[in-house]
Amino acid sequence: MINPLSATIDVELNSILAITRYTLNYTNQQAMPVEAIYHFTLPRIAAVLGCEVTIDGRTYAAVIKGKQTASSDYEQAIREKRRSVLVESLQDGVYAINMGNLAAGESIQISLQLGQALVAQDAGNKLIYRLPTQIFPRYGVSNNDLMPDVNLFAHYPFALNIRDKGVKVLASSHPLQQREDGLAMQGVLDRDIYLEFSASATCGLLQATWQGHSYTLGYPAIADAQVGEPQAFNLHIVADRSGSMLGDSIALLRSALDGLLVNLDDSTGVNLTSFGCKYSLFKESVKPLNGSYRKQLRQFVATIEADMGGTEVMLALLATIKSLPHAGERENHLVLITDGHVDVCDEQMAAVTLLCKQHGVTIHVIGVGYSVNADLAGRLTDATGGRLVLVNPQAEFA
């Protein structure tokens, strides 16, 4: 049987930019016309540069319209039994393609052109390319009447080509094959596509001209940075143990936390809060990571499971901040690790911000997967001067 859905992906690396042509191929295997709806994710930092649709060998360029106008035109075409395609942004990197009135056995190609800046790490010496292919489940029950069916035997293949003969790949989500014009990758759409490679000596700067104006895009490379003596600080980890972390995410969380506890200095004050529909503090306050305390924490981390229900993150944050000492000689850092999408009222946000000022707390957020409430995470980190890092659990968690 022919796979109803497959993808071909072409990536052109240009300095610190990546241009991706992401083509979805769909065939109607039903004996009657259908309306197919496909939800997919794109990188949060990517811009959609163009969209083309090919049916019966004819290619049509997409037209950008307001959301209401586009939906109305699409529904009108469906009522008139005309073929029509609607691509729309739903929320936070999630998109939907609606393909209406596809005849039995008919095939369609939808090609999206994306532009994205590569993520620089290690002072600009490493660059990361990511193309998400999964929509990670949120915890709880959706209020959407059109709940999609889940088929554990779904197998949607993809083929990817990377046009850059000089790229040196350090890590990848799938096995790579060397070709004359670059690299190739094959697999199925069951995990994010991820590439980590060395930056060339000249790739930190890109110049372009647009409508008579010149622009420069780049990032600073730090060579031979001088690192002083580490200062003692307090670190409190707030870890999500809700049901949506079940599987790879919770296993990788345990591994990442254990590696952190092994490498932290003895003088670091450490504590851990785990939360779901309720929260639990490991100790009443932070304690220096010396003696038997490091062993106790590592033993506890090894037992962490995704067994605490929903995602009540704000109650856990408030309790954690109150347990930290008031601002003093040591800096207080709180690292929130979550994959949840939660709604927060302004009063809760104001209470967290006020407590952080009183206790001198900097909040950092590690968002796992593509269901994270990026708006909330950004507000927490912006208000306290912390960092927001959004990660693919399969590639970057540790």
Side-chain angles (χ1 to χ4, degrees), residues 277-322:
C277 59
K278 57 183 180 179
Y279 65 86
S280 174
L281 275 71
F282 182 68
K283 294 291 183 182
E284 292 185 1
S285 61
V286 293
K287 293 181 59 177
L289 199 60
N290 54 24
S292 63
Y293 186 55
R294 188 191 304 266
K295 182 178 180 180
Q296 293 174 29
L297 257 178
R298 292 185 66 193
Q299 289 174 340
F300 174 74
V301 165
T303 67
I304 289 178
E305 296 291 348
D307 56 3
M308 293 186 73
T311 312
E312 296 295 336
V313 62
M314 298 307 286
L315 295 178
L317 283 179
L318 289 168
T320 297
I321 298 167
K322 290 176 181 178

Short mmCIF file of all heavy atoms in Angstrom, two decimals, residues 277-322:
data_model
loop_
_atom_site.label_atom_id
_atom_site.label_comp_id
_atom_site.label_asym_id
_atom_site.label_seq_id
_atom_site.Cartn_x
_atom_site.Cartn_y
_atom_site.Cartn_z
N CYS A 277 0.14 17.98 39.56
CA CYS A 277 -1.05 18.63 40.10
C CYS A 277 -0.80 19.10 41.53
O CYS A 277 -1.58 19.86 42.09
CB CYS A 277 -2.24 17.68 40.05
SG CYS A 277 -2.00 16.15 40.98
N LYS A 278 0.29 18.65 42.14
CA LYS A 278 0.76 19.12 43.44
C LYS A 278 2.28 19.28 43.34
O LYS A 278 2.87 19.02 42.29
CB LYS A 278 0.41 18.12 44.54
CG LYS A 278 0.96 16.71 44.29
CD LYS A 278 0.53 15.74 45.36
CE LYS A 278 1.11 14.35 45.08
NZ LYS A 278 0.72 13.38 46.13
N TYR A 279 2.89 19.75 44.42
CA TYR A 279 4.34 19.93 44.39
C TYR A 279 4.95 19.33 45.65
O TYR A 279 4.28 19.14 46.67
CB TYR A 279 4.72 21.40 44.26
CG TYR A 279 4.32 22.25 45.45
CD1 TYR A 279 5.15 22.37 46.57
CD2 TYR A 279 3.10 22.92 45.47
CE1 TYR A 279 4.78 23.13 47.66
CE2 TYR A 279 2.72 23.69 46.56
CZ TYR A 279 3.56 23.79 47.65
OH TYR A 279 3.19 24.53 48.73
N SER A 280 6.26 19.04 45.56
CA SER A 280 6.97 18.46 46.69
C SER A 280 8.39 18.97 46.69
O SER A 280 9.11 18.85 45.70
CB SER A 280 6.97 16.92 46.58
OG SER A 280 7.76 16.35 47.60
N LEU A 281 8.83 19.59 47.82
CA LEU A 281 10.21 20.05 47.99
C LEU A 281 11.04 18.92 48.60
O LEU A 281 10.60 18.29 49.57
CB LEU A 281 10.28 21.28 48.89
CG LEU A 281 10.08 22.65 48.22
CD1 LEU A 281 8.63 22.82 47.81
CD2 LEU A 281 10.51 23.77 49.15
N PHE A 282 12.22 18.67 48.04
CA PHE A 282 13.09 17.62 48.57
C PHE A 282 13.54 17.97 49.99
O PHE A 282 13.53 17.12 50.88
CB PHE A 282 14.30 17.44 47.64
CG PHE A 282 15.22 16.34 48.09
CD1 PHE A 282 14.82 15.01 48.04
CD2 PHE A 282 16.50 16.63 48.55
CE1 PHE A 282 15.68 14.00 48.45
CE2 PHE A 282 17.35 15.62 48.97
CZ PHE A 282 16.94 14.30 48.92
N LYS A 283 13.96 19.22 50.21
CA LYS A 283 14.32 19.71 51.53
C LYS A 283 13.61 21.05 51.75
O LYS A 283 13.14 21.68 50.82
CB LYS A 283 15.84 19.91 51.66
CG LYS A 283 16.64 18.62 51.59
CD LYS A 283 16.42 17.73 52.80
CE LYS A 283 17.27 16.48 52.74
NZ LYS A 283 17.04 15.57 53.88
N GLU A 284 13.56 21.51 53.00
CA GLU A 284 12.89 22.77 53.29
C GLU A 284 13.66 23.97 52.75
O GLU A 284 13.09 25.03 52.52
CB GLU A 284 12.69 22.92 54.81
CG GLU A 284 11.70 21.92 55.39
CD GLU A 284 11.44 22.17 56.87
OE1 GLU A 284 12.03 23.14 57.41
OE2 GLU A 284 10.67 21.41 57.48
N SER A 285 14.97 23.83 52.55
CA SER A 285 15.80 24.91 52.02
C SER A 285 17.00 24.31 51.32
O SER A 285 17.26 23.10 51.42
CB SER A 285 16.26 25.85 53.15
OG SER A 285 17.05 25.13 54.09
N VAL A 286 17.75 25.16 50.59
CA VAL A 286 18.95 24.68 49.90
C VAL A 286 20.02 24.28 50.92
O VAL A 286 20.11 24.85 52.00
CB VAL A 286 19.51 25.76 48.94
CG1 VAL A 286 18.55 26.02 47.79
CG2 VAL A 286 19.83 27.04 49.69
N LYS A 287 20.81 23.27 50.54
CA LYS A 287 21.91 22.82 51.40
C LYS A 287 23.16 22.66 50.54
O LYS A 287 23.07 22.31 49.36
CB LYS A 287 21.56 21.47 52.04
CG LYS A 287 20.41 21.50 53.05
CD LYS A 287 20.17 20.12 53.63
CE LYS A 287 21.40 19.58 54.34
NZ LYS A 287 21.14 18.27 54.96
N PRO A 288 24.34 22.92 51.12
CA PRO A 288 25.58 22.72 50.35
C PRO A 288 25.70 21.27 49.87
O PRO A 288 25.35 20.33 50.59
CB PRO A 288 26.69 23.07 51.36
CG PRO A 288 26.01 23.94 52.37
CD PRO A 288 24.61 23.45 52.47
N LEU A 289 26.21 21.12 48.67
CA LEU A 289 26.25 19.80 48.04
C LEU A 289 27.51 19.04 48.46
O LEU A 289 28.33 18.64 47.64
CB LEU A 289 26.22 19.97 46.51
CG LEU A 289 25.81 18.76 45.66
CD1 LEU A 289 24.40 18.31 46.02
CD2 LEU A 289 25.90 19.10 44.19
N ASN A 290 27.68 18.87 49.77
CA ASN A 290 28.86 18.16 50.27
C ASN A 290 28.43 17.00 51.15
O ASN A 290 27.26 16.84 51.47
CB ASN A 290 29.78 19.12 51.03
CG ASN A 290 29.05 19.86 52.15
OD1 ASN A 290 28.03 19.38 52.65
ND2 ASN A 290 29.55 21.01 52.53
N GLY A 291 29.41 16.19 51.50
CA GLY A 291 29.11 15.05 52.36
C GLY A 291 28.14 14.08 51.70
O GLY A 291 28.23 13.76 50.52
N SER A 292 27.16 13.64 52.48
CA SER A 292 26.20 12.65 51.98
C SER A 292 25.05 13.27 51.20
O SER A 292 24.26 12.56 50.59
CB SER A 292 25.63 11.84 53.16
OG SER A 292 24.91 12.70 54.05
N TYR A 293 24.94 14.61 51.24
CA TYR A 293 23.79 15.26 50.60
C TYR A 293 23.78 15.04 49.09
O TYR A 293 22.72 14.83 48.49
CB TYR A 293 23.79 16.74 50.92
CG TYR A 293 22.55 17.48 50.42
CD1 TYR A 293 21.28 17.05 50.77
CD2 TYR A 293 22.67 18.59 49.59
CE1 TYR A 293 20.16 17.71 50.32
CE2 TYR A 293 21.54 19.25 49.13
CZ TYR A 293 20.29 18.81 49.50
OH TYR A 293 19.18 19.46 49.04
N ARG A 294 24.95 15.07 48.45
CA ARG A 294 25.01 14.83 47.02
C ARG A 294 24.48 13.42 46.70
O ARG A 294 23.72 13.24 45.75
CB ARG A 294 26.45 14.98 46.52
CG ARG A 294 26.59 14.93 44.99
CD ARG A 294 28.05 14.80 44.58
NE ARG A 294 28.86 15.86 45.11
CZ ARG A 294 29.15 16.98 44.46
NH1 ARG A 294 28.66 17.18 43.24
NH2 ARG A 294 29.92 17.91 45.02
N LYS A 295 24.89 12.45 47.51
CA LYS A 295 24.43 11.07 47.29
C LYS A 295 22.93 10.96 47.47
O LYS A 295 22.24 10.29 46.69
CB LYS A 295 25.17 10.14 48.25
CG LYS A 295 24.81 8.67 48.07
CD LYS A 295 25.61 7.80 49.03
CE LYS A 295 25.25 6.33 48.85
NZ LYS A 295 26.02 5.46 49.79
N GLN A 296 22.38 11.62 48.50
CA GLN A 296 20.93 11.59 48.74
C GLN A 296 20.16 12.15 47.55
O GLN A 296 19.16 11.57 47.11
CB GLN A 296 20.58 12.38 50.00
CG GLN A 296 21.10 11.80 51.29
CD GLN A 296 20.84 12.72 52.46
OE1 GLN A 296 19.87 13.49 52.47
NE2 GLN A 296 21.71 12.68 53.47
N LEU A 297 20.63 13.30 47.05
CA LEU A 297 19.95 13.91 45.91
C LEU A 297 20.00 13.03 44.68
O LEU A 297 19.01 12.88 43.96
CB LEU A 297 20.57 15.28 45.61
CG LEU A 297 19.81 16.52 46.07
CD1 LEU A 297 20.60 17.78 45.75
CD2 LEU A 297 18.43 16.59 45.45
N ARG A 298 21.16 12.44 44.40
CA ARG A 298 21.29 11.58 43.22
C ARG A 298 20.38 10.35 43.35
O ARG A 298 19.79 9.90 42.37
CB ARG A 298 22.73 11.16 43.03
CG ARG A 298 23.67 12.30 42.63
CD ARG A 298 25.07 11.79 42.34
NE ARG A 298 25.06 10.92 41.17
CZ ARG A 298 26.08 10.13 40.83
NH1 ARG A 298 27.17 10.09 41.60
NH2 ARG A 298 26.02 9.37 39.75
N GLN A 299 20.29 9.80 44.56
CA GLN A 299 19.40 8.66 44.76
C GLN A 299 17.95 9.04 44.53
O GLN A 299 17.17 8.28 43.94
CB GLN A 299 19.59 8.09 46.18
CG GLN A 299 20.92 7.38 46.38
CD GLN A 299 21.15 6.96 47.82
OE1 GLN A 299 20.52 7.50 48.75
NE2 GLN A 299 22.04 6.00 48.02
N PHE A 300 17.56 10.25 44.99
CA PHE A 300 16.19 10.71 44.77
C PHE A 300 15.93 10.94 43.29
O PHE A 300 14.87 10.53 42.77
CB PHE A 300 15.95 12.00 45.55
CG PHE A 300 14.60 12.61 45.26
CD1 PHE A 300 13.44 12.05 45.76
CD2 PHE A 300 14.49 13.74 44.45
CE1 PHE A 300 12.20 12.59 45.48
CE2 PHE A 300 13.27 14.29 44.16
CZ PHE A 300 12.10 13.72 44.67
N VAL A 301 16.85 11.57 42.59
CA VAL A 301 16.68 11.84 41.16
C VAL A 301 16.46 10.54 40.39
O VAL A 301 15.66 10.48 39.45
CB VAL A 301 17.89 12.62 40.61
CG1 VAL A 301 17.92 12.60 39.09
CG2 VAL A 301 17.86 14.06 41.11
N ALA A 302 17.17 9.48 40.77
CA ALA A 302 17.04 8.20 40.08
C ALA A 302 15.65 7.61 40.19
O ALA A 302 15.26 6.75 39.39
CB ALA A 302 18.08 7.22 40.62
N THR A 303 14.85 8.06 41.17
CA THR A 303 13.50 7.51 41.38
C THR A 303 12.40 8.37 40.75
O THR A 303 11.23 8.02 40.82
CB THR A 303 13.21 7.38 42.88
OG1 THR A 303 13.14 8.68 43.48
CG2 THR A 303 14.30 6.57 43.57
N ILE A 304 12.76 9.51 40.16
CA ILE A 304 11.75 10.43 39.63
C ILE A 304 10.98 9.78 38.48
O ILE A 304 11.58 9.23 37.55
CB ILE A 304 12.41 11.74 39.16
CG1 ILE A 304 12.88 12.55 40.36
CG2 ILE A 304 11.44 12.56 38.31
CD1 ILE A 304 13.59 13.84 39.98
N GLU A 305 9.66 9.83 38.55
CA GLU A 305 8.79 9.33 37.49
C GLU A 305 7.75 10.40 37.15
O GLU A 305 7.49 11.30 37.95
CB GLU A 305 8.08 8.04 37.92
CG GLU A 305 9.00 6.86 38.18
CD GLU A 305 9.65 6.32 36.92
OE1 GLU A 305 9.22 6.71 35.81
OE2 GLU A 305 10.60 5.51 37.05
N ALA A 306 7.17 10.29 35.96
CA ALA A 306 6.12 11.22 35.54
C ALA A 306 4.78 10.72 36.08
O ALA A 306 3.96 10.16 35.36
CB ALA A 306 6.09 11.33 34.01
N ASP A 307 4.56 10.95 37.38
CA ASP A 307 3.41 10.34 38.05
C ASP A 307 2.66 11.32 38.95
O ASP A 307 2.01 10.93 39.90
CB ASP A 307 3.87 9.15 38.89
CG ASP A 307 4.96 9.52 39.90
OD1 ASP A 307 5.31 10.72 39.98
OD2 ASP A 307 5.45 8.62 40.60
N MET A 308 2.77 12.64 38.63
CA MET A 308 2.14 13.63 39.51
C MET A 308 1.01 14.40 38.84
O MET A 308 0.74 15.54 39.19
CB MET A 308 3.21 14.59 40.05
CG MET A 308 4.22 13.93 40.97
SD MET A 308 5.37 15.09 41.75
CE MET A 308 4.32 15.92 42.95
N GLY A 309 0.36 13.80 37.84
CA GLY A 309 -0.84 14.41 37.27
C GLY A 309 -0.58 15.63 36.42
O GLY A 309 0.30 15.63 35.58
N GLY A 310 -1.38 16.70 36.62
CA GLY A 310 -1.36 17.89 35.77
C GLY A 310 -0.17 18.79 35.99
O GLY A 310 0.82 18.41 36.61
N THR A 311 -0.26 20.03 35.49
CA THR A 311 0.90 20.93 35.47
C THR A 311 0.58 22.22 36.21
O THR A 311 0.30 23.25 35.62
CB THR A 311 1.29 21.25 34.01
OG1 THR A 311 1.35 20.03 33.27
CG2 THR A 311 2.66 21.92 33.94
N GLU A 312 0.62 22.18 37.56
CA GLU A 312 0.36 23.36 38.38
C GLU A 312 1.69 24.04 38.72
O GLU A 312 2.20 23.96 39.84
CB GLU A 312 -0.40 22.96 39.66
CG GLU A 312 -1.77 22.39 39.40
CD GLU A 312 -2.72 23.42 38.79
OE1 GLU A 312 -2.48 24.63 38.98
OE2 GLU A 312 -3.68 23.01 38.13
N VAL A 313 2.25 24.70 37.74
CA VAL A 313 3.61 25.21 37.87
C VAL A 313 3.70 26.42 38.81
O VAL A 313 4.69 26.57 39.54
CB VAL A 313 4.18 25.57 36.48
CG1 VAL A 313 3.39 26.67 35.81
CG2 VAL A 313 5.64 25.97 36.58
N MET A 314 2.70 27.28 38.85
CA MET A 314 2.82 28.52 39.62
C MET A 314 2.85 28.26 41.12
O MET A 314 3.59 28.92 41.86
CB MET A 314 1.69 29.48 39.26
CG MET A 314 1.71 29.93 37.81
SD MET A 314 3.30 30.61 37.27
CE MET A 314 3.29 32.21 38.08
N LEU A 315 2.06 27.31 41.61
CA LEU A 315 2.11 26.97 43.04
C LEU A 315 3.49 26.44 43.42
O LEU A 315 4.02 26.75 44.49
CB LEU A 315 1.03 25.94 43.36
CG LEU A 315 -0.42 26.40 43.19
CD1 LEU A 315 -1.39 25.25 43.50
CD2 LEU A 315 -0.72 27.59 44.09
N ALA A 316 4.08 25.63 42.53
CA ALA A 316 5.42 25.10 42.79
C ALA A 316 6.45 26.22 42.81
O ALA A 316 7.35 26.23 43.66
CB ALA A 316 5.77 24.05 41.74
N LEU A 317 6.32 27.17 41.89
CA LEU A 317 7.27 28.29 41.85
C LEU A 317 7.18 29.15 43.11
O LEU A 317 8.20 29.53 43.70
CB LEU A 317 7.00 29.16 40.62
CG LEU A 317 7.50 28.62 39.28
CD1 LEU A 317 7.13 29.60 38.17
CD2 LEU A 317 9.01 28.40 39.30
N LEU A 318 5.96 29.47 43.54
CA LEU A 318 5.78 30.30 44.73
C LEU A 318 6.39 29.64 45.97
O LEU A 318 7.09 30.29 46.76
CB LEU A 318 4.29 30.59 44.94
CG LEU A 318 3.64 31.54 43.93
CD1 LEU A 318 2.13 31.51 44.07
CD2 LEU A 318 4.15 32.97 44.15
N ALA A 319 6.12 28.35 46.16
CA ALA A 319 6.67 27.63 47.31
C ALA A 319 8.19 27.56 47.25
O ALA A 319 8.89 27.70 48.26
CB ALA A 319 6.08 26.22 47.38
N THR A 320 8.72 27.36 46.04
CA THR A 320 10.17 27.25 45.89
C THR A 320 10.87 28.56 46.21
O THR A 320 11.88 28.61 46.93
CB THR A 320 10.51 26.81 44.45
OG1 THR A 320 9.96 25.51 44.22
CG2 THR A 320 12.01 26.76 44.24
N ILE A 321 10.36 29.66 45.68
CA ILE A 321 10.99 30.97 45.91
C ILE A 321 10.97 31.32 47.39
O ILE A 321 11.94 31.86 47.93
CB ILE A 321 10.28 32.05 45.06
CG1 ILE A 321 10.43 31.75 43.57
CG2 ILE A 321 10.86 33.43 45.36
CD1 ILE A 321 9.53 32.57 42.69
N LYS A 322 9.86 31.02 48.07
CA LYS A 322 9.77 31.30 49.50
C LYS A 322 10.80 30.51 50.30
O LYS A 322 11.23 30.94 51.38
CB LYS A 322 8.36 30.99 50.01
CG LYS A 322 7.30 31.96 49.52
CD LYS A 322 5.91 31.52 49.99
CE LYS A 322 4.83 32.47 49.46
NZ LYS A 322 3.47 32.03 49.86
#
